[in-house]
Amino acid sequence: NKSVNRQGRERVYSILESNQFTLPNVDVERAKYFTESMRETEGELLTLRWAKALKNVAEKITVWITPNQLLAGRVGMLGRYGILYPEIDGDFYREVLADLANRDKSPFQISQEDIKVVMEEIAPYWEGKTYHEHLNKALPEDIRGVTYHDERGLKSKFVVSETSSYRSALQWVPDYEKVINRGFIDIQNEAKEKLANLDLNNSVDLWDKKPFLEAMIIVCDAIMIWAKRHADLARELAAKESDPKRKAELLQIAETCDHVPAHPARTFREAMQCQWFVQMFSRIEQKASAIISNGRMDQYLYPLYKKDLDEGRITREEAKDLLECMWVDMAQFIDLYINPTGVEFQEGYAHWEAVTIGGQTPEGEDATNDLSYLFLESKREFPLNYPDLAARIHSRSPERFLREVALTIKDGSGFPKLINDEEVVFLNAIKGCPVNEALDYAVSGCTETRMPNRDTYTSGCVYVNFATALEMLLYNGRMLHYGDEVIGLETGDVTKFNTWEEFYEAYKAQHLNLLRKAFQQQHVVDKLRPQHFSAPMSSVLHNLCMENLMDLHAEKIPGGVDYSYFEFLGYGTVVDSLSAIKKLVFEDKKLTLKEVVEACKADFKGHEAVREMLRNAPCYGNNDAYADSVAKDVDRVTQVEAAKSSRERGVHVDVRYVPITSHVPFGKVVSATPNGRHAWTALSDGSSASHGADKNGPTAVLLSNYHSKNYGMTNRASRLLNIKLSPKCVAGEDGTQKIVNLIRTWCDLKLWHLQFNIVNKETLVKAQQEPDNYRSLLVRIAGYSAYFCDLSRDLQNDIIDRTEHAQF
Ligand code: 8X3
């Protein structure tokens, strides 16, 4: 979004520019060698089969060193690439692969030979075995009815959408620090020792623990073999290299890969390479949400960074170069969605490999250090959309940190997003995490957090389109998009309700009906996940898995804290609609329900005056007590039901308001709503106000968010909050200070998340008209930034239509 200074960054720009806007390729090797091994091991413990499959991949997959790179390792061909996970959704290949390059959202290319490999060597094995097929068969008919819109479950109904069949788990953060400090030989020795101490006369030891520990040993071998192959490749390339500078770099890469991740890292460079191997190998292991995260990089890298600086082994600029080398290779791994719902929900090549900075130490002291500032500096000077950067803020965050965060936000590329310790630490601790671990959380996704040795895996969560509950109320259990099909409850003729109480009771019945179906769906998902997926590397790095000798995909791990999230979609849309009806129909009696329904049915054509009245009713996002109290009650009702489900299922069932890009496809099945929203347009996103409804500035947005929260209840997690500001209103020193003040207010209010777009409407509209001149314009979507021109027209319009606050 600004002109950048390339001096000193020739290396990373040369790598970036060789592929930045190219169409990503599908690389089939991971799927091929994974499948090859899985054919051979049927009947064995799943964790052992998975470890053997990973070893087969590690031994056979092509190894790469990107030209000019200082770090070795990628898991696919040169350029931008994505890989396949047939165990999840291989049953979609027939429908999707041939047309991948032509789809309008997140296209990929795949060669004809590779399609042949997939269709002949990979897909046949998985036929009838994929997770998605099993889920489609296992869901009871009434749950399927709100989930899918066809027999094979290839099309979402966009009412109660499951997301588990395009990812094996939600985001994850491996314990990188453990590998950096101990190395895989030591980690493997721990498994060997446990194996030696088993009592093989005991059936559990023999049949469960022994194969599990064998799997742990094999997976450690796998990653070390893979690393060693990079050392060999670097030496081969060095032997052929004529440029002495590059030759020396390649020899250094060889030496580094000989040492890590097998042994503890001795230098910052080795720590970076070790982390990169673990990160990349985790992508071979499984598809956890949209890429696993980087954890608290400014914490676990700091000791070796400081040591190298103090001992003169590295300069600050060289450290930054190494970090940026990681960013440019990270930007080449593109999370590939085969499942069409995944494509709709994760538009613009979504990714959230969050790097967490700032926050507190496990002892509760401020954790900010020189590396935290280095990450912010790098983001300002090299405004790439990778990695996703998350700043943890707490009540004692130093002024300098907030100022540098504000300066980075002002650059307008959407970084960093802010996560509030004052909310997250409390919630993690109250749900059973030791407080020092709760203080040591890392950001893992759009807005989610993880404690690498306390959290357990969470299934891809359910997205509930609550704007459809409104429609089902207006049309007696039906939706205009789906005609006469009864999808919700038949609550009767809506125009017959005489009081707000009767009307709201009927809304709640529709709302709770969807919610109960969502929880039942999620319970089936939680039961099936461990039958289909395993994660040996993530397990060997998790203290509780190694204590209990259980795979991290197990349904229950003793000592673990289990979360099960669900997404509330259309919060602003629902609240504004209810608030308008309460005020205009039942209190002021300016409209009848019949008039509202007729206007909505006609998408307000010929009913423009009604639409104006509806739009001018009290709206969420203005610090308006009327609308905010409706918002608070809808959240309360949702949490009461979630608490019930928590008790039934023994997991923390928590509401989140995190849309990614689902509010666009969800809006496409929802006709006009009583807040004056036109049919088939986007719903409100996350916990943000409806488009254009928030008219009182950003502080009022924060206050509405605050007043609508139920702080006395705990079945809550992230509330994603987007705020768009005009560049002018944050210009200069004054502007920086205003952002700092806004962050302090947000922190005091204990809101979970905040992120900004700083861009003018005119710029966005121009970018739509002249995409070639705006290729590198980054915008904030939902927990990640993407290139505006990579987005569909609908999503572009959604961003254009978000309220742009011009002053505060
Ligand atoms: C983004 C949302 O669904 O992956 O973090 O948790 S989800």
Side-chain angles (χ1 to χ4, degrees):
N1 300 359
K2 59 168 193 174
S3 57
V4 289
N5 182 0
R6 292 161 177 247
Q7 214 184 350
R9 287 197 164 76
E10 292 77 8
R11 177 196 304 279
V12 287
Y13 271 109
S14 78
I15 299 172
L16 183 65
E17 284 168 356
S18 67
N19 58 63
Q20 191 176 18
F21 296 114
T22 54
L23 194 57
N25 287 293
V26 180
D27 190 300
V28 301
E29 285 196 1
R30 179 269 177 200
K32 178 175 157 165
Y33 298 125
F34 185 81
T35 304
E36 186 179 87
S37 172
M38 290 301 265
R39 278 181 201 281
E40 305 295 318
T41 57
E42 288 194 355
E44 298 177 26
L45 182 83
L46 188 60
T47 314
L48 185 56
R49 295 182 69 199
W50 216 275
K52 287 180 178 174
L54 293 181
K55 187 158 176 253
N56 195 46
V57 177
E59 285 168 345
K60 295 183 179 164
I61 197 171
T62 309
V63 289
W64 305 89
I65 294 171
T66 313
N68 241 339
Q69 255 294 351
L70 294 178
L71 295 173
R74 42 193 296 136
V75 295
M77 59 184 80
L78 295 178
R80 300 207 298 168
Y81 66 99
I83 61 178
L84 295 168
Y85 302 86
E87 65 275 20
I88 303 178
D89 55 9
D91 51 314
F92 284 86
Y93 290 163
R94 211 176 333 131
E95 279 77 11
V96 172
L97 278 192
D99 215 33
L100 264 187
N102 302 322
R103 68 186 189 190
D104 65 333
K105 298 180 180 103
S106 310
F108 274 77
Q109 58 192 347
I110 178 166
S111 67
Q112 284 309 316
E113 301 92 87
D114 280 345
I115 291 188
K116 200 158 171 280
V117 171
V118 174
M119 298 321 293
E120 290 175 6
E121 295 176 41
I122 299 170
Y125 174 74
W126 294 101
E127 211 176 298
K129 295 192 185 77
T130 68
Y131 167 81
H132 170 256
E133 285 165 295
H134 194 171
L135 178 64
N136 184 40
K137 280 199 202 112
L139 286 176
E141 204 42 49
D142 63 324
I143 314 282
R144 273 194 92 264
V146 290
T147 309
Y148 299 131
H149 195 44
D150 65 333
E151 270 303 298
R152 283 182 53 210
L154 302 180
K155 285 190 200 149
S156 176
K157 190 75 153 255
F158 295 118
V159 174
V160 177
S161 289
E162 59 87 12
T163 67
S164 64
S165 62
Y166 59 78
R167 45 193 177 174
S168 53
L170 281 194
Q171 328 83 22
W172 188 248
V173 182
D175 188 349
Y176 296 108
E177 191 173 357
K178 189 178 286 170
V179 194
I180 289 171
N181 291 340
R182 289 176 55 190
F184 271 108
I185 292 180
D186 188 45
I187 292 167
Q188 188 183 46
N189 282 341
E190 182 188 326
K192 285 182 178 167
E193 207 177 301
K194 285 181 194 281
L195 182 64
N197 289 331
L198 291 182
D199 172 5
L200 296 185
N201 293 315
N202 174 318
S203 309
V204 174
D205 279 19
L206 181 64
W207 294 110
D208 299 342
K209 296 183 178 175
K210 180 172 173 282
F212 175 82
L213 286 166
E214 284 167 354
M216 298 302 100
I217 292 165
I218 290 171
V219 81
C220 293
D221 277 338
I223 188 167
M224 290 190 285
I225 289 167
W226 189 58
K228 192 77 181 49
R229 291 182 65 211
H230 287 87
D232 296 343
L233 174 66
R235 262 187 295 271
E236 261 172 49
L237 293 173
K240 290 187 229 147
E241 180 62 57
S242 52
D243 172 5
K245 190 166 164 276
R246 183 62 186 156
K247 195 187 208 44
E249 284 173 2
L250 286 164
L251 289 174
Q252 185 164 33
I253 291 174
E255 193 192 320
T256 307
C257 299
D258 274 335
H259 192 77
V260 291
H263 303 276
R266 297 163 299 191
T267 61
F268 179 73
R269 179 186 292 267
E270 286 182 356
M272 289 287 294
Q273 180 66 63
C274 174
Q275 198 273 17
W276 182 237
F277 274 139
V278 173
Q279 179 179 162
M280 294 316 283
F281 206 72
S282 80
R283 296 177 193 188
I284 297 179
E285 179 167 77
Q286 63 175 338
K287 180 175 173 61
S289 204
I291 306 176
I292 60 134
S293 287
N294 284 284
R296 303 189 72 182
M297 273 187 119
D298 64 349
Q299 304 302 300
Y300 62 75
L301 288 177
Y302 187 70
L304 286 168
Y305 167 74
K306 172 102 178 37
K307 190 162 180 274
D308 280 5
L309 272 185
D310 289 350
E311 294 172 10
R313 246 187 316 275
I314 203 168
T315 64
R316 229 171 156 269
E317 288 309 306
E318 283 165 347
K320 226 192 287 180
D321 194 26
L322 269 169
L323 291 172
E324 290 170 3
C325 272
M326 188 185 273
W327 308 163
V328 285
D329 260 17
M330 213 181 254
Q332 292 173 52
F333 180 98
I334 310 292
D335 199 31
L336 166 58
Y337 289 87
I338 293 294
N339 179 322
T341 312
V343 182
E344 294 281 351
F345 280 17
Q346 332 268 335
E347 250 207 68
Y349 301 113
H351 58 95
W352 34 82
E353 60 305 298
V355 167
T356 306
I357 57 170
Q360 298 167 81
T361 65
E363 289 72 42
E365 303 279 336
D366 176 63
T368 315
N369 61 35
D370 187 41
L371 265 184
S372 326
Y373 293 110
L374 199 72
F375 285 109
L376 287 167
E377 244 172 71
S378 162
K379 204 42 116 181
R380 290 197 293 272
E381 295 166 2
F382 185 49
L384 180 64
N385 59 338
Y386 287 77
D388 188 24
L389 186 64
R392 280 180 49 177
I393 309 291
H394 61 93
S395 61
R396 291 148 291 114
S397 289
E399 193 68 9
R400 177 183 165 202
F401 187 60
L402 293 191
R403 284 186 61 77
E404 294 217 15
V405 162
L407 285 172
T408 315
I409 287 171
K410 272 175 59 165
D411 269 0
S413 59
F415 300 107
K417 60 188 174 193
L418 310 177
I419 304 289
N420 195 345
D421 280 13
E422 305 306 329
E423 171 76 335
V424 173
V425 174
F426 163 76
L427 284 171
N428 279 334
I430 207 158
K431 288 170 191 171
C433 308
V435 78
N436 60 334
E437 289 183 42
L439 281 159
D440 199 22
Y441 76 87
V443 178
S444 57
C446 277
T447 69
E448 297 74 17
T449 67
R450 289 284 180 196
M451 292 147 294
N453 284 294
R454 187 61 51 184
D455 266 280
T456 56
Y457 269 4
T458 310
S459 309
C461 50
V462 51
Y463 278 57
V464 191
N465 185 347
F466 284 111
T468 68
L470 277 177
E471 258 211 87
M472 291 170 199
L473 176 59
L474 299 189
Y475 307 116
N476 194 23
R478 292 152 178 87
M479 293 167 61
L480 297 189
H481 182 75
Y482 292 116
D484 240 6
E485 184 182 351
V486 178
I487 300 167
L489 299 177
E490 294 191 283
T491 35
D493 180 353
V494 70
T495 62
K496 301 275 171 1
F497 292 125
N498 293 317
T499 64
W500 160 250
E501 287 69 27
E502 273 180 72
F503 178 87
Y504 189 46
E505 277 311 309
Y507 171 76
K508 283 191 285 187
Q510 298 284 4
H511 184 102
L512 291 176
N513 176 52
L514 293 184
L515 202 48
R516 286 176 193 134
K517 289 199 157 77
F519 294 154
Q520 288 162 15
Q521 183 202 80
Q522 198 63 15
H523 191 58
V524 177
V525 165
D526 288 346
K527 295 273 155 206
L528 297 190
R529 201 192 69 230
Q531 296 177 29
H532 286 264
F533 306 123
S534 160
M537 185 183 74
S538 306
S539 304
V540 83
L541 296 180
H542 196 296
N543 292 347
L544 293 176
C545 293
M546 290 306 284
E547 266 167 39
N548 296 292
L549 305 187
M550 290 172 92
D551 194 291
L552 196 39
H553 270 291
E555 208 187 329
K556 273 257 164 273
I557 301 174
V561 174
D562 307 316
Y563 290 105
S564 173
Y565 301 112
F566 64 100
E567 307 296 338
F568 190 133
L569 260 294
Y571 190 48
T573 310
V574 167
V575 167
D576 293 351
S577 298
L578 293 175
S579 162
I581 287 176
K582 185 177 183 197
K583 183 94 179 89
L584 297 173
V585 175
F586 294 107
E587 282 184 23
D588 296 352
K589 304 200 186 309
K590 289 191 174 143
L591 288 172
T592 63
L593 273 174
K594 192 160 180 282
E595 286 168 318
V596 174
V597 173
E598 275 171 6
C600 287
K601 227 181 207 168
D603 197 14
F604 307 111
K605 270 189 210 86
H607 301 262
E608 287 75 15
V610 174
R611 179 167 186 251
E612 267 322 289
M613 287 169 76
L614 293 168
R615 278 163 57 84
N616 287 319
C619 287
Y620 168 72
N622 293 294
N623 190 25
D624 176 316
Y626 193 93
D628 293 352
S629 70
V630 174
K632 185 166 181 164
D633 200 62
V634 171
D635 178 85
R636 181 191 64 78
V637 167
T638 308
Q639 284 201 56
V640 168
E641 193 63 24
K644 224 187 278 170
S645 186
S646 290
R647 286 192 295 276
E648 274 171 17
R649 289 157 58 205
V651 287
H652 297 285
V653 179
D654 294 341
V655 59
R656 300 194 312 195
Y657 297 79
V658 182
I660 326 181
T661 56
S662 63
H663 56 295
V664 176
F666 271 0
K668 282 202 171 140
V669 298
V670 177
S671 60
T673 39
N675 61 334
R677 172 194 148 277
H678 275 301
W680 331 126
T681 59
L683 306 177
S684 61
D685 79 80
S687 67
S688 315
S690 300
H691 302 86
D694 43 342
K695 299 192 173 91
N696 293 343
T699 313
V701 171
L702 296 188
L703 285 167
S704 269
N705 212 301
Y706 169 73
H707 288 302
S708 60
K709 281 182 70 167
N710 288 281
Y711 287 94
M713 304 175 86
T714 56
N715 283 88
R716 66 178 199 264
S718 26
R719 279 184 163 216
L720 184 139
L721 183 58
N722 272 310
I723 291 187
K724 191 162 92 179
L725 301 170
S726 74
K728 202 160 155 227
C729 83
V730 293
E733 172 53 28
D734 252 24
T736 309
Q737 197 51 49
K738 278 195 265 183
I739 295 181
V740 169
N741 295 347
L742 197 71
I743 296 174
R744 288 254 188 240
T745 306
W746 162 85
C747 182
D748 285 350
L749 294 174
K750 302 188 194 309
L751 305 179
W752 181 295
H753 166 270
L754 182 59
Q755 63 186 13
F756 297 91
N757 268 303
I758 314 261
V759 62
N760 282 323
K761 181 172 184 168
E762 297 73 60
T763 310
L764 296 173
V765 171
K766 262 193 126 177
Q768 245 184 357
Q769 292 159 350
E770 304 162 21
D772 285 341
N773 296 331
Y774 288 86
R775 282 277 162 231
S776 52
L777 174 67
L778 280 173
V779 288
R780 197 70 187 157
I781 315 279
Y784 64 101
S785 293
Y787 291 105
F788 185 74
C789 300
D790 275 349
L791 308 176
S792 68
R793 183 52 77 130
D794 289 328
L795 187 57
Q796 289 181 346
N797 289 343
D798 165 66
I799 291 165
I800 290 171
D801 291 344
R802 290 178 190 172
T803 309
E804 175 186 325
H805 298 279
Q807 54 188 12
F808 72 103

